[in-house]
Amino acid sequence: MNKSELIDAIAKDADMTKANAGKALDALMAAITSTLKKGEDVSLVGFGTFKVSKRAARTGRNPKTGAALQIAACNSPGFSAGKGLKEAVN
């Protein structure tokens, strides 16, 4: 499912226009993104939790040449599924 298909599904299930469903989806993604930028978690009970993990700097290898290279430290977004989502999928 891509973004436009998700917007269509939201519009149908919530009985709203596609334009309003698109705005709602964009607002949701913006809110999650801005909260993660602050370093905070976003927890949706029954669905899951979005959180930021700090990755330390490390040494990697160029697969083509085998030469060692330094990989910089970074923040990586992640998602862990909640109990309700896990049960719905299985």
Side-chain angles (χ1 to χ4, degrees):
M1 174 179 277
N2 61 30
K3 186 176 178 180
S4 64
E5 293 170 340
L6 182 58
I7 290 171
D8 291 343
I10 292 170
K12 181 181 175 188
D13 291 346
D15 193 28
M16 61 172 53
T17 66
K18 289 182 184 180
N20 286 342
K23 289 178 186 176
L25 181 59
D26 289 340
L28 173 68
M29 291 190 306
I32 291 172
T33 302
S34 67
T35 303
L36 292 176
K37 278 184 179 180
K38 295 176 192 173
E40 300 173 11
D41 295 348
V42 177
S43 181
L44 304 171
V45 177
F47 184 73
T49 303
F50 296 91
K51 60 178 104 177
V52 177
S53 300
K54 296 180 191 291
R55 299 180 100 187
R58 61 197 188 279
T59 302
R61 296 227 172 256
N62 181 333
K64 194 170 192 177
T65 64
L69 58 109
Q70 189 63 23
I71 301 172
C74 65
N75 293 328
S76 178
F79 176 77
S80 55
K83 182 179 177 184
L85 181 59
K86 287 179 186 177
E87 288 176 354
V89 171
N90 290 318

